[in-house]
Amino acid sequence: MAVTASVERATEDRPRARLRRIAAFAFWLRRTALQSEAFLLPALIAASIFVGVIAHFHTVWAQPAMVTLPLLLGGFLLRFTAQLVLLVVSALVVVVDALTSHPARPTPGTVLLIGATALIVLVMSRGRVRLGVRGTRGESMLFDLRERLQAQGRVPQLPRGWHLELALKSAGGQSFAGDFLIAARSDQDGVDGWAADMPAEQSKGCGRLQLGLVDVSGKGLQAGTRALLLSGAFGGLLGSVPPSQFLAAANRYLLRQGWEEGFATAVHLVIDLETGDYECYSAGHPPIAHLAAGSGRWSLRETPGPVLGVLSDVEYTPTRGRLEYGDGLMLFTDGMIEQPGQDLSVGLDRLLGAAGTLQTKGFGGGAARVVDTVARKTNDDRALVLVWRTRHGL
């Protein structure tokens, strides 16, 4: 009986062992073979020659134009010099087929197709050479960078009664934008430098939420690369320096970059999660809006301050207020209020009018609703942040 059971277990394990070997081979193929030109270039050359041979003897099922398939794969997986070698081999395959075929081939359309494919592949390759990557790693790198940019704007978990929503849309619907949000929260006294700016009796036991909404000059992909760099730098500063010094430190960092188009606007909001008191610092940014639940009205809180990256040795003074239960704050970038040929006051009135429905329809999902209502078709990056306070459990 024991021998029979062992044989049965061995029989059951064979398919699993076979699957493990197949998975190991696939992993090796993806991580080693497909990243090695010593393997890829001979394989693609052999594929081009094989296509030429099949096209020569089987004209119904294969045509010389099929050499474009190895060329396309080479455009994604090979370096520029290796692609030139593959292109020469593919051209020789087409020439040999033309000289040995009766009637003569390829047709002018086939030559045009192969030439256009080769041109596209070489242009793609030049871009990858400039980027310093090959294969699909360039796209995966950009995907990773986009994820890192979005991670900077992930808001830490808030205590009960506090809520936050972000709606961010880029110009043209692209993945990168010049607007971004950074956030940090501290639960211990003095961890973010706030307590050092406050009297001891006020700082004791405080939890702080800091938000930074930044609008980099330009829009879409043009501003996306600068926004990526600044989000990492500003995210490191947020919570590491006292709130009163954050925008000044960000301004000094931006000045050191020496960009020709290097300015940015920003609004920095610091909220005491115990009392609802807040401070708002602005660097050339549009005003924030405060909803008072008692009156049901939105009011603008202007906070003057120079834009980042233009002047040195500047100081930023805050505007102070308090969020009571039912109150809300709205932070936004200029893409929400700017319209060609219109004054900013018109855009502000339109935005506050759309935000007036939040009390009746609810704040949940309100950020996206306001953006779609006010700036759905705007050809600019736009971002809107809603922060509101409710009683515990609501």
Side-chain angles (χ1 to χ4, degrees):
M1 294 293 293
V3 174
T4 303
S6 300
V7 171
E8 290 178 352
R9 284 195 299 269
T11 304
E12 293 175 357
D13 289 341
R14 286 176 184 172
R16 297 178 184 176
R18 189 178 298 111
L19 289 175
R20 284 195 296 268
R21 287 194 296 270
I22 294 174
F25 175 75
F27 180 80
W28 171 84
L29 186 64
R30 183 174 66 88
R31 294 296 300 272
T32 304
L34 292 181
Q35 299 298 327
S36 172
E37 254 178 26
F39 172 84
L40 287 171
L41 182 57
L44 292 175
I45 289 176
S48 296
I49 297 174
F50 178 76
V51 166
V53 172
I54 296 299
H56 183 75
F57 291 104
H58 299 82
T59 58
V60 177
W61 295 99
Q63 297 294 329
M66 292 178 65
V67 297
T68 57
L69 298 178
L71 282 177
L72 288 174
L73 288 176
F76 284 103
L77 301 175
L78 297 178
R79 292 187 176 90
F80 185 74
T81 54
Q83 289 178 31
L84 290 177
V85 174
L86 179 61
L87 179 58
V88 170
V89 172
S90 300
L92 289 175
V93 168
V94 174
V95 170
V96 170
D97 181 75
L99 295 176
T100 58
S101 298
H102 299 284
R105 293 184 309 173
T107 63
T110 300
V111 174
L112 181 62
L113 174 61
I114 296 173
T117 303
L119 180 61
I120 293 172
V121 166
L122 292 178
V123 171
M124 291 171 51
S125 176
R126 295 291 293 184
R128 294 176 188 277
V129 168
R130 290 182 58 192
L131 189 60
V133 297
R134 65 186 178 90
T136 57
R137 299 294 297 276
E139 285 74 12
S140 63
M141 183 183 71
L142 290 176
F143 176 79
D144 181 61
L145 292 177
R146 186 192 67 181
E147 292 298 308
R148 290 177 184 271
L149 177 60
Q150 294 175 348
Q152 293 288 344
R154 292 193 184 124
V155 179
Q157 185 176 2
L158 299 178
R160 292 172 59 190
W162 287 95
H163 314 272
L164 186 147
E165 279 191 6
L166 166 68
L168 176 63
K169 293 190 176 182
S170 63
Q174 301 179 67
S175 298
F176 291 88
D179 298 349
F180 63 88
L181 176 73
I182 51 177
R185 180 190 171 190
S186 63
D187 293 317
Q188 298 177 354
D189 299 342
V191 122
D192 59 3
W194 169 293
D197 297 339
M198 300 178 62
E201 63 273 11
Q202 295 183 23
S203 64
K204 189 173 182 180
C206 291
R208 312 291 175 186
L209 173 67
Q210 294 194 56
L211 301 174
L213 184 60
V214 184
D215 183 0
V216 180
S217 58
K219 60 185 179 181
L221 290 175
Q222 177 188 7
T225 53
R226 296 196 300 273
L228 182 63
L229 175 63
L230 294 183
S231 68
F234 290 1
L237 290 173
L238 194 70
S240 300
V241 298
S244 60
Q245 301 177 20
F246 169 72
L247 287 183
N251 181 63
R252 290 193 295 270
Y253 175 83
L254 194 51
L255 285 171
R256 289 197 300 269
Q257 306 311 305
W259 293 334
E260 293 182 0
E261 191 181 2
F263 69 90
T265 67
V267 60
H268 177 210
L269 181 67
V270 190
I271 304 177
D272 185 331
L273 298 175
E274 296 287 338
T275 65
D277 293 333
Y278 66 84
E279 290 185 348
C280 180
Y281 301 81
S282 178
H285 206 79
I288 67 171
H290 183 162
L291 171 66
S295 64
R297 290 184 176 182
W298 288 92
S299 59
L300 296 176
R301 301 296 175 90
E302 298 278 354
T303 307
V307 300
L308 302 176
V310 176
L311 302 175
S312 59
D313 299 326
V314 295
E315 294 183 359
Y316 297 90
T317 57
T319 295
R320 293 181 172 87
R322 171 175 289 190
L323 276 180
E324 305 290 352
Y325 293 117
D327 286 6
L329 286 176
M330 183 167 58
L331 288 66
F332 49 91
T333 58
D334 58 9
M336 293 293 301
I337 57 176
E338 283 186 347
Q339 291 290 341
Q342 292 186 356
D343 191 74
L344 287 181
S345 60
V346 177
L348 285 171
D349 290 341
R350 185 170 57 251
L351 176 62
L352 296 182
T357 63
L358 293 175
Q359 273 195 310
T360 56
K361 294 184 178 180
F363 279 89
R369 289 201 308 271
V370 172
V371 172
D372 288 340
T373 301
V374 176
R376 184 182 184 89
K377 298 181 180 180
T378 301
N379 187 29
D380 194 5
D381 300 327
R382 55 258 191 226
L384 186 140
V385 180
L386 285 178
V387 182
W388 70 97
R389 188 183 186 193
T390 60
R391 293 192 179 276
H392 295 338
L394 299 180

